Amino acid sequence: MTTKRLEQIMMRLPGLNLPERSEYVAWAQLVELTSIEPAQVAELVDLGWITPARTGAAEYLFRLRDVYRIHKLMRLVKDLDISFDGGSIIVDLLERIEELEKEIEELRRLV
């Protein structure tokens, strides 16, 4: 699922009531969008795998990028029947590969 698709879904969520477009979602919306257990969200935050912003009321706000990463993680965990920790490592490695591919493409353009 792409970030653009997530933004479209976010704008249609009932009860979201954001005053304007935002690239952040609250804890409850993150759980709803990703179908992840709240305890698993807490584990990912504790591991530093996702780093939410905090509001003045000490509530967490997650980026849409986090929603996308969790979707990838949960798909790996469910489809390949691997552990939560193993899936998070795979997602990190996939993202690193994407970054390196972008760098290679930029270098090719310069040559």
Side-chain angles (χ1 to χ4, degrees), residues 46-77:
D46 290 344
L47 289 171
W49 197 74
I50 53 176
T51 51
R54 295 193 115 198
T55 66
E59 293 182 15
Y60 288 124
L61 291 177
F62 299 90
R63 296 172 301 179
L64 288 178
R65 179 180 181 272
D66 295 330
V67 174
Y68 180 68
R69 293 181 81 215
I70 292 171
H71 268 282
K72 285 200 284 188
L73 170 64
M74 298 310 289
R75 183 168 180 206
L76 286 168
V77 168

Side-chain angles (χ1 to χ4, degrees), residues 24-40:
Y24 291 96
V25 296
W27 185 290
Q29 282 81 30
L30 180 80
V31 170
E32 183 178 342
L33 288 169
T34 60
S35 301
I36 191 172
E37 296 293 325
Q40 292 173 317

Side-chain angles (χ1 to χ4, degrees), residues 1 4 6 15 26 45 61 70 101:
M1 182 176 297
K4 186 171 185 112
L6 285 172
V45 171
L61 291 177
I70 292 171
E101 287 174 340

Side-chain angles (χ1 to χ4, degrees), residues 7-20:
E7 287 174 355
Q8 291 170 349
I9 292 169
M10 295 292 299
M11 297 310 292
R12 292 191 314 248
L13 275 179
L16 193 53
N17 296 330
L18 292 175
E20 59 185 64

